[in-house]
Amino acid sequence: MIQNLPVEGMTCAACVARVEKTLKKVNGVSNATVNLAAETVRIEFDAKAVSLDTIANQLHESGYELIIKKEPDTVSERLLDREIHIRRDFIVSLACSLPVLILSMGMMWEPVSNYIPIPMNALNIGFCILSLIVLLIPGRRFFVPAWKLALHGASDMNTLVSLGTGIAWLYSTYELFFGEHAGHGQHLYYDSTTTIITLVLLGKMLETKAKRSAGNALQSLLSLRSETACRKNAQGNFEECATSAIIKDDILRIRPGESFPVDGIIIHGMSSCDESMLTGESVPVIKQQGDIVTGGTINIDASIEMKAIAVGSDTVLSRIAHIVQEAQGSKAAIQSLADSIASVFVPTVLIIAFSTFLTYFFALHYTFEASILPAIAILLIACPCALGLATPTAITVAIGTGAKHGIIIRNADALEKAGVIDIVAFDKTGTLTFGTPRLQSVQIVSTQFSESTILHYAASIEQYSLHPFAKAIIDAHNGEFLEARNIQEIPGKGIQGTIDTHICSIGKQHWLQEMGIQCDMHHEHSQAESILCMSIDSVHIANLILADEIRHEAAHIVSTLSSQHVQSMILSGDHPSTVSSIAHTIGIKRIHAGILPEEKLSIIASLQSEGHHIAMVGDGINDAPALAKAHLGIAMGSGTDIAMNTADITILGTDLKAVLTTIGLSKKTMLIIKQNFFWAFIFNIIGIPLAAFGLLNPMIAAGAMACSSVSVIGNSLRLKTLHK
């Protein structure tokens, strides 16, 4: 069983490592993966061996709270609630900090000290009380978790903040009442204590706001679903009902401008539909009787009636949401670097801070005050929040952005692997081509009839056939039909019928010749084309040229990949001459045609053994093994469920350019993650030595620590802008 659940108390990469380690030790839990950006954990466990309550109790013992909810968890709402609470604490902290900071600094300036008649010692007692309020109310969110962890011999970001501010307050209070200058209040750091907590809270508030923004892509996608629908009742009338009340096979009426509440099939009417929220394609799609519509897409033109075929968690949008949510909680391989560092980072910082204090106080014989301040600055600058957010924030934003553009990324590893691909293998049918035949041209043999009349006759006869060639001819006509009688279809040969007094036959050349009709076949055509001969009253009048049309963007895709030093190849079960013709047209030199699914698998394995990183792009059942074997499987959304379920990435639309977009998104994501690591480390690399040498004020250290987390999340949010 797999559950994605919120966890309270996590603040940094050290928390991530501890939560995962604790959960993996629980008998019955096979794996646990934390997403710090969403503050959730993905737990894989045996429900027969262990309950969620037991798992939650084990985590509680480690100082963290697993939130078990009966209703689905909404990350955005939870983070909004957290943001509100942090904002409240920030306001309290700011209200107490400002008078402490302004007056303590101002009293050092003679015009201010002369203007304010209050004795400095009385002011310091007030500062002591105000800073204690900050520690006990807003600061409680740092001290309580730190204490719980300390009881278990562990530490995290809360430990660093608590020690830094707590020591500063205790030292100042001791000096105020019992120190050498007791009663005079010199060299006190109440302003540092309050300002540090205020700055850290400001950073946490901005961080939470950015986290919420990072996860909003999925929520905005789901919000497009209609909450109500117009359903036909038992009396045959339509009435309003909640979307949640719809069951399979219900008849629904969708009016212009309304979104489809569930997945269904149109049973009456025709309208154009906006599917951009699902596929990323802005051009409306014509939907008519028999076509499938997806919940969340929008009906534009006219009222139509549909029958519900998938509701609730079975709808396409719900399945996509589940995949995206799972993916955002997954962990990329690069994140193991942060986890490894975090497991030893906080203890190392504590040792450095303690050693710094000992060196100054005992070896260099500095005063207690001069020795403790560098140690406090080290504790504050070294907070590993940014380190823990470097990878999951970028992954969360990238996967959410991909989903908004019709690119469904199944896991974080897929996003990472897409950036190192050096060969893209394409299936032909339904991938490089549309997968269905289209009428390319009408070659007129006899001038007795015009092209429009020929097409009108052909469509009127073919309307009675279910053959793909028939649909191509009907689509090309796109008009009214003539009345046809005496329809007779001979499988594998053709179809014949009577219009007015004319006998019309459409089919293969040899079939017409069997009926004594001489066919003129002088038309030069490629191996990728199919020809149907058409006769009226036993006279050959035209050849209908059909072909599985190459996608318009295919040549551009191949050219762009080549410019990026990525090879393209075709793996297809179709006839070699057909594949060669298409490959020549779009500029692919490397092809494997007429091969079985297991042979596709073998070819990919062979290339992998040579050190290549392969992406397979396909859409059919026969592509599923190759999609699974390749380093990266990309399924076209027009394909079968098995292909989509096997692939690492699914493109919901039919535009092949999404392959380039996916690779570009991957490369940009990995660049952002590396930049995030830079920002996470640079503050520590520069700040810790400065603090150790006494060159970094604790307040500046706290501000720098807050800036590091905000900079990491802000940098990750740049992934929300995706160029297609």
Side-chain angles (χ1 to χ4, degrees):
M1 186 176 186
I2 298 175
Q3 288 275 353
N4 277 290
L5 296 170
V7 176
E8 289 185 351
M10 297 189 301
T11 54
C12 63
C15 297
V16 172
R18 182 165 178 79
V19 169
E20 290 181 349
K21 185 177 180 181
T22 300
L23 292 175
K24 288 175 182 177
K25 285 183 177 179
V26 178
N27 290 330
V29 176
S30 57
N31 195 22
T33 305
V34 167
N35 181 349
L36 183 60
E39 298 179 10
T40 60
V41 61
R42 182 180 186 271
I43 309 173
E44 298 177 32
F45 65 101
D46 183 355
K48 295 179 181 178
V50 64
S51 68
L52 278 175
D53 288 332
T54 302
I55 296 172
N57 290 335
Q58 290 289 326
L59 196 58
H60 174 75
E61 291 296 318
S62 296
Y64 303 95
E65 301 298 329
L66 185 68
I67 309 303
I68 304 173
K69 292 188 174 183
K70 299 299 180 184
E71 69 275 7
D73 175 64
T74 303
V75 173
S76 181
E77 290 180 1
R78 179 161 40 83
L79 290 177
L80 177 59
D81 185 61
R82 173 184 285 274
E83 185 184 336
I84 291 170
H85 283 85
I86 293 176
R87 186 185 297 120
R88 179 200 62 195
D89 286 347
F90 170 73
I91 291 171
V92 172
S93 185
L94 183 65
C96 293
S97 298
L98 284 177
V100 175
L101 180 64
I102 293 171
L103 289 175
S104 61
M105 295 294 182
M107 291 300 283
M108 298 179 186
W109 191 32
E110 191 171 334
V112 175
S113 61
N114 291 335
Y115 183 77
I116 298 176
I118 304 172
M120 190 65 210
N121 196 54
L123 281 176
N124 281 331
I125 292 173
F127 297 160
C128 176
I129 294 170
L130 286 173
S131 58
L132 182 61
I133 292 172
V134 172
L135 291 178
L136 293 178
I137 300 176
R140 188 174 185 274
R141 67 172 55 249
F142 305 111
F143 283 88
V144 172
W147 175 250
K148 289 181 179 179
L149 288 175
L151 294 176
H152 295 88
S155 57
D156 68 355
M157 165 248 183
N158 295 303
T159 307
L160 302 181
V161 174
S162 299
L163 281 175
T165 56
I167 290 172
W169 187 86
L170 288 172
Y171 169 76
S172 299
T173 303
Y174 174 82
E175 282 292 308
L176 176 62
F177 294 106
F178 308 106
E180 181 181 351
H181 302 285
H184 301 286
Q186 296 184 15
H187 306 295
L188 305 183
Y189 295 96
Y190 292 123
D191 54 342
S192 296
T193 302
T194 56
T195 306
I196 285 167
I197 288 182
T198 302
L199 287 172
V200 174
L201 285 171
L202 175 62
K204 296 296 290 181
M205 187 172 68
L206 294 174
E207 176 186 309
T208 306
K209 187 179 183 68
K211 281 183 183 179
R212 189 161 56 87
S213 178
N216 273 346
L218 176 60
Q219 196 60 37
S220 63
L221 194 68
L222 294 176
S223 67
L224 293 173
R225 294 182 296 190
S226 175
E227 295 296 325
T228 61
C230 193
R231 179 175 62 178
K232 181 181 282 189
N233 58 26
Q235 290 73 41
N237 300 317
F238 286 93
E239 60 183 12
E240 292 288 327
C241 73
T243 297
S244 57
I246 298 173
I247 61 174
K248 191 176 179 182
D249 294 332
D250 274 352
I251 305 301
L252 309 171
R253 175 179 288 164
I254 313 299
R255 291 161 292 204
E258 293 181 337
S259 62
F260 295 97
V262 296
D263 297 352
I265 184 169
I266 296 178
I267 58 174
H268 180 72
M270 181 174 73
S271 180
S272 56
C273 299
D274 179 0
E275 297 187 332
S276 58
M277 53 73 63
L278 186 68
T279 65
E281 296 175 1
S282 58
V283 179
V285 180
I286 300 296
K287 297 285 186 176
Q288 55 190 345
Q289 186 173 337
D291 287 342
I292 302 294
V293 291
T294 305
T297 57
I298 301 171
N299 178 29
I300 298 176
D301 295 323
S303 289
I304 55 177
E305 292 181 17
M306 60 172 277
K307 181 169 73 172
I309 59 174
V311 300
S313 61
D314 293 329
T315 63
V316 168
L317 200 58
S318 294
R319 287 161 55 199
I320 289 171
H322 178 71
I323 291 171
V324 171
Q325 194 172 41
E326 288 281 303
Q328 289 182 330
S330 63
K331 183 176 292 189
I334 195 172
Q335 193 171 336
S336 60
L337 172 63
D339 294 343
S340 299
I341 295 171
S343 63
V344 297
F345 187 78
V346 175
T348 302
V349 169
L350 292 174
I351 292 171
I352 292 173
F354 188 60
S355 299
T356 300
F357 169 75
L358 294 178
T359 300
Y360 277 106
F361 192 69
F362 291 105
L364 300 177
H365 305 292
Y366 276 46
T367 64
F368 183 84
E369 173 195 346
S371 302
I372 199 67
L373 286 179
I376 293 173
I378 290 172
L379 292 173
L380 295 172
I381 191 66
C383 177
C385 299
L387 184 63
L389 293 167
T391 300
T393 307
I395 294 294
T396 299
V397 177
I399 290 173
T401 301
K404 284 186 69 175
H405 290 81
I407 301 168
I408 306 304
I409 301 165
R410 190 169 291 276
N411 54 60
D413 273 344
L415 194 61
E416 187 171 352
K417 289 184 291 188
V420 296
I421 294 299
D422 61 347
I423 296 178
V424 177
F426 294 94
D427 175 48
K428 181 188 75 68
T429 306
T431 304
L432 292 173
T433 67
F434 285 98
T436 54
R438 298 190 177 194
L439 183 64
Q440 303 295 308
S441 63
V442 177
Q443 180 199 12
I444 298 175
V445 177
S446 171
T447 57
Q448 184 179 353
F449 296 93
S450 66
E451 181 176 330
S452 61
T453 301
I454 291 170
L455 196 55
H456 200 176
Y457 272 53
S460 299
I461 295 292
E462 294 286 8
Q463 67 172 310
Y464 297 97
S465 173
L466 297 176
H467 195 281
F469 286 168
K471 187 177 186 307
I473 293 169
I474 293 168
D475 288 344
H477 171 56
N478 194 26
E480 297 294 328
F481 299 119
L482 298 170
E483 182 183 352
R485 310 182 309 278
N486 305 323
I487 300 297
Q488 184 181 13
E489 186 171 13
I490 297 88
K493 294 187 176 182
I495 189 170
Q496 187 179 75
T498 303
I499 296 177
D500 293 331
T501 59
H502 302 293
I503 299 174
C504 181
S505 303
I506 307 169
K508 294 182 178 179
Q509 178 190 10
H510 69 80
W511 179 56
L512 268 68
Q513 288 177 335
E514 287 175 3
M515 295 188 292
I517 302 171
Q518 186 62 40
C519 294
D520 182 0
M521 299 296 290
H522 294 308
H523 173 74
E524 293 185 5
H525 63 282
S526 74
Q527 294 291 336
E529 293 177 335
S530 298
I531 298 181
L532 294 180
C533 296
M534 178 175 175
S535 70
I536 295 179
D537 296 333
S538 299
V539 176
H540 182 207
I541 61 165
N543 293 321
L544 307 178
I545 316 300
L546 300 104
D548 183 3
E549 190 176 352
I550 299 171
R551 294 186 186 274
H552 309 300
E553 68 273 17
H556 169 71
I557 303 301
V558 172
S559 174
T560 305
L561 287 173
S562 179
S563 68
Q564 297 174 356
H565 308 291
V566 178
Q567 299 180 48
S568 297
M569 63 184 296
I570 298 177
L571 300 180
S572 175
D574 283 2
H575 193 277
S577 61
T578 302
V579 177
S580 295
S581 174
I582 289 174
H584 176 74
T585 302
I586 62 178
I588 292 180
K589 297 178 181 179
R590 194 170 184 175
I591 68 169
H592 295 272
I595 56 176
L596 299 172
E598 54 266 30
E599 291 175 303
K600 291 185 180 182
L601 203 68
S602 176
I603 292 167
I604 289 175
S606 176
L607 290 169
Q608 288 173 331
S609 67
E610 296 173 8
H612 292 289
H613 293 83
I614 316 296
M616 176 69 197
V617 185
D619 76 327
I621 291 175
N622 63 334
D623 296 322
L627 289 169
K629 178 63 178 175
H631 289 99
L632 183 71
I634 302 177
M636 299 299 291
S638 56
T640 61
D641 280 347
I642 189 169
M644 294 169 67
N645 291 332
T646 305
D648 300 298
I649 295 174
T650 297
I651 296 170
L652 295 179
T654 58
D655 190 349
L656 263 181
K657 289 180 183 176
V659 173
L660 294 179
T661 305
T662 301
I663 293 174
L665 177 62
S666 169
K667 289 181 176 179
K668 188 175 179 181
T669 302
M670 297 312 296
L671 176 62
I672 291 288
I673 289 173
K674 289 171 183 175
Q675 290 173 348
N676 286 350
F677 278 134
F678 170 80
W679 288 114
F681 283 120
I682 196 67
F683 284 94
N684 293 325
I685 291 171
I686 297 174
I688 290 177
L690 287 176
F693 286 107
L695 301 174
L696 190 66
N697 184 282
M699 286 190 289
I700 296 175
M705 182 269 285
C707 286
S708 66
S709 294
V710 174
S711 65
V712 161
I713 298 177
N715 192 43
S716 297
L717 288 173
R718 293 197 298 121
L719 287 165
K720 295 183 80 171
T721 303
L722 181 60
H723 300 289
K724 299 188 75 178

